[in-house]
Amino acid sequence: MPDTLVALYVFVLACFIGYYVIWGVTPSLHTPLVALTNAISGIVIVGALLVTGLDEVGTTAEIMGFFAVLLASINVFGGFLVTNRMLAMFKKDKKKQ
Amino acid sequence: MELSVNAQAIAYLISAILFILALKGLTHPSTARRGNYLGMAGMALAIGATLLGAEVQSYGFIIAGVVAGAVIGSVLAARIQMTAMPQLVAALHSFVGMAAVLVAIGTFINKQAADALNPVLMGELSAGVIIGAITFTGSVIAFGKLQGIISGKPVKFSGQHQLNAIIALVTLGLGIHFAMTGSVWSLALMTLLAFVIGVTLIIPIGGADMPVIVSMLNSYSGWAAAATGFTLGNNLLIIVGALVGFSGAILSFIMCRAMNRSIINVVFGGFGGETGGGESAAATAHEKGVKSASVEDAVYWMEDANRVIIIPGYGMAVAQAQHALKELMELLEAKGVEVKFGVHPVAGRMPGHMNVLLAEADIPYDHVQEMDEINPDFPSTDVVLVVGANDVVNPAAKSDSSSPIYGMPILEAGKARNVYFLKRSMRPGYSGVDNLLFYQDNCSLVFGDAKETIEGMVTALKGGGH
């Protein structure tokens, strides 16, 4: 099976996982969900690292890669930290326990 | 140490599992933080495995980019106000989009230098560039609208959709031409036009449809990551892209369902916008036969109530009234009143916005209920306090088939014994529809700034001299 088809298999199956996992998320956490998905879509940083870190990379590609690394890292750090900050605010009523 | 290709693939697989578990953690507030930590672990593993792999050899630019990004991201995350969360999210979506474009073009340059281009790869590259570019400019426009830099009004002109369709077709054509020939000009023009589509796609959408737009761009940022994964033959990016893409798509669907509109209608409908108006509120109200009440009237009924339900809307966020509401809740609970909050799915400017603002004010999450959960409670509720919400409690959605909001599920506040509607003026909600609840006998309007009104209630309750 060619690589592109394998990738398609992975993609379609991951879509199904996404579908079932996301429907399980409680509506009260939809804002943290958006922030968390923001953070994990920072995974494009992997692509940015591969472009920038290539041994015989040219200057143009290297500069593009640098900006991609920069933007994706803002996503990764900003996304996870702001999600953490929000989730820390969700508390149960202590009086009822 | 250098990681073998197989070891790297295993690391990516573990990372993907950690991301799935991270999202799964959001099933309940009690497991959510642990989920977020799992997500962080997954990301650290993915980045570590990539850096240790054979393909990454030069580190100077990488370290500079990561350090700068870490500083900017951390400062943003620490400083951002919870009311401004939709703007932050829009900004972050635009970064993912732009990063995807840069990675695709950078990959093209690298592969061209290595003479390793082929039509399939270039087709995947085109997809990455187009989706990434649309995500970028679309998110920039959404950010501008949310921040108030660009007017929230829908920008419409005749032939708009035809024009968009033509640009989209030309972009697609250029993408195919690029894949077949590798023409740099096709790539450049395609990228440019994709940036234009992002703008023309979002400008016709009204400020009030932002919950859908934020979700939709969330979805796009995921598909952009997935397209990058196809280009690089990287399964981790494909998996994460699919997860994020579906997350945004499902949120868009939930938001649209809560407005009884289709996604097509939101994207092409250009609904709503901010209407002006500044006539004397009380005078207009009187003219229309609407009752107005004082803070004391509302407090009188609330302190003897068995149950009070508070319905927050975007107006609460604008007035920053959530902290005053928390104080009101505590004073009422001290008098033995049960206080609950009812949240409509589209209240605010992004999904779940109200829940975060209430949590910020230290209101426990088990006091906050969703629409379906709380609707059966209204008939047995003594007082409903509507704070900065409007359309989401409008009975016209149930009774008036000619109303633009007909069919939209609402919070059935009108079924309670008394409804106090905190309002700044008689201005209608974003849909521009008159609220039939105002004319019901059990409803009174309390005019004024939401925060000041609630603080007034708090003072009156503290005075406690009834």
Side-chain angles (χ1 to χ4, degrees):
Chain A
M1 193 160 58
D3 287 348
T4 311
L5 263 187
V6 176
L8 192 65
Y9 266 62
V10 172
F11 177 70
V12 172
L13 292 176
C15 283
F16 276 90
I17 297 177
Y19 181 85
Y20 287 106
V21 171
I22 302 302
W23 272 115
V25 173
T26 169
S28 63
L29 294 179
H30 275 164
T31 296
L33 171 66
V34 175
L36 178 65
T37 50
N38 241 320
I40 69 172
S41 59
I43 195 72
V44 291
I45 195 169
V46 167
L49 297 176
L50 293 175
V51 168
T52 323
L54 195 74
D55 205 6
E56 63 275 19
V57 65
T59 317
T60 322
E62 196 167 29
I63 290 170
M64 289 193 151
F66 165 74
F67 281 106
V69 171
L70 173 73
L71 292 173
S73 327
I74 297 177
N75 251 277
V76 169
F77 284 90
F80 279 121
L81 291 176
V82 87
T83 307
N84 196 46
R85 202 180 129 202
M86 276 191 278
L87 292 176
M89 298 186 309
F90 280 83
K91 292 185 199 93
K92 225 180 143 87
D93 195 347
K94 291 184 194 78
K95 283 167 286 181
K96 283 186 184 166
Q97 284 168 351
Chain B
M1 184 183 104
E2 197 163 272
L3 225 53
S4 74
V5 177
N6 288 344
Q8 195 181 44
I10 297 291
Y12 284 161
L13 176 62
I14 297 171
S15 169
I17 293 168
L18 287 170
F19 288 139
I20 294 168
L21 293 175
L23 293 171
K24 184 93 184 129
L26 295 180
T27 309
H28 194 271
S30 61
T31 56
R33 283 192 90 181
R34 191 180 65 211
N36 193 38
Y37 292 130
L38 292 176
M40 291 183 193
M43 186 60 76
L45 184 63
I47 293 174
T50 310
L51 289 177
L52 290 175
E55 287 173 276
V56 178
Q57 293 298 342
S58 72
Y59 292 95
F61 275 86
I62 289 178
I63 293 168
V66 171
V67 170
V71 172
I72 299 171
S74 310
V75 171
L76 278 178
R79 296 247 175 107
I80 191 82
Q81 291 224 335
M82 287 302 143
T83 36
M85 193 54 69
Q87 286 94 306
L88 176 69
V89 160
L92 292 178
H93 287 151
S94 76
F95 296 163
V96 175
M98 195 64 205
V101 172
L102 291 169
V103 169
I105 296 178
T107 306
F108 171 72
I109 296 171
N110 282 343
K111 297 275 182 188
Q112 196 183 37
D115 210 15
L117 288 170
N118 63 62
V120 175
L121 176 75
M122 287 190 288
E124 290 164 344
L125 270 172
S126 308
V129 168
I130 293 174
I131 304 172
I134 294 174
T135 311
F136 174 70
T137 44
S139 302
V140 168
I141 299 294
F143 174 85
K145 288 197 176 205
L146 288 162
Q147 187 71 34
I149 302 168
I150 305 171
S151 161
K153 279 190 195 141
V155 179
K156 291 199 276 191
F157 50 88
S158 63
Q160 189 166 25
H161 302 318
Q162 289 84 337
L163 181 70
N164 283 353
I166 291 168
I167 303 177
L169 281 175
V170 173
T171 310
L172 218 58
L174 286 165
I176 294 167
H177 184 253
F178 167 68
M180 310 291 275
T181 63
S183 153
V184 180
W185 287 108
S186 300
L187 174 65
L189 198 57
M190 173 189 83
T191 312
L192 198 72
L193 284 180
F195 280 130
V196 173
I197 295 176
V199 176
T200 54
L201 196 64
I202 305 299
I203 48 164
I205 299 173
D209 279 337
M210 278 305 156
V212 187
I213 294 316
V214 169
S215 313
M216 208 172 82
L217 291 166
N218 185 237
S219 181
Y220 286 1
S221 72
W223 304 131
T228 311
F230 275 99
T231 312
L232 299 168
N234 186 308
N235 286 329
L236 177 60
L237 263 74
I238 295 176
I239 295 171
V240 171
L243 294 175
V244 175
F246 252 91
S247 173
I250 289 175
L251 287 178
S252 310
F253 172 78
I254 294 174
M255 296 298 116
C256 286
R257 189 179 58 183
M259 296 193 294
N260 191 35
R261 297 171 57 200
S262 69
I263 186 84
I264 313 262
N265 182 265
V266 173
V267 175
F268 298 112
F271 195 64
E274 278 120 57
T275 43
E279 295 165 66
S280 156
T284 326
H286 182 73
E287 214 172 278
K288 288 185 169 183
V290 174
K291 279 190 295 179
S292 69
S294 68
V295 166
E296 287 72 22
D297 298 332
V299 168
Y300 176 80
W301 288 106
M302 279 196 288
E303 64 180 346
D304 287 328
N306 285 317
R307 186 193 294 134
V308 171
I309 295 179
I310 300 173
I311 299 177
Y314 186 61
M316 179 196 79
V318 174
Q320 290 281 2
Q322 62 269 36
H323 300 281
L325 277 176
K326 146 90 171 165
E327 217 181 327
L328 180 69
M329 175 189 88
E330 284 183 336
L331 286 167
L332 287 173
E333 282 182 338
K335 290 179 185 283
V337 183
E338 185 193 359
V339 181
K340 288 206 274 192
F341 291 80
V343 176
H344 193 276
V346 289
R349 285 289 185 265
M350 71 182 287
H353 198 187
M354 288 301 124
N355 301 78
V356 170
L357 294 175
L358 295 174
E360 184 197 13
D362 262 336
I363 293 165
Y365 62 77
D366 36 8
H367 285 235
V368 185
Q369 295 190 331
E370 306 304 320
M371 179 169 63
D372 297 334
E373 219 178 332
I374 206 159
N375 264 345
D377 289 345
F378 283 111
S380 59
T381 296
D382 305 289
V383 178
V384 168
L385 204 59
V386 183
V387 186
N390 193 345
D391 293 325
V392 298
V393 291
N394 191 346
K398 298 221 141 184
S399 59
D400 179 5
S401 60
S402 68
S403 170
I405 62 166
Y406 183 71
M408 169 173 143
I410 56 162
L411 286 156
E412 291 164 356
K415 292 189 175 166
R417 241 153 269 150
N418 295 289
V419 181
Y420 289 96
F421 217 115
L422 270 52
K423 261 190 107 27
R424 191 182 271 282
S425 68
M426 277 304 287
R427 222 151 79 173
Y430 80 74
S431 64
V433 181
D434 204 10
N435 196 331
L436 295 184
L437 186 56
F438 298 162
Y439 311 106
Q440 274 183 216
D441 286 339
N442 59 347
C443 179
S444 311
L445 274 63
V446 184
F447 288 106
D449 174 73
K451 190 179 170 195
E452 283 165 21
T453 307
I454 293 162
E455 282 168 350
M457 290 175 176
V458 167
T459 314
L461 275 171
K462 277 182 180 161
H466 285 291

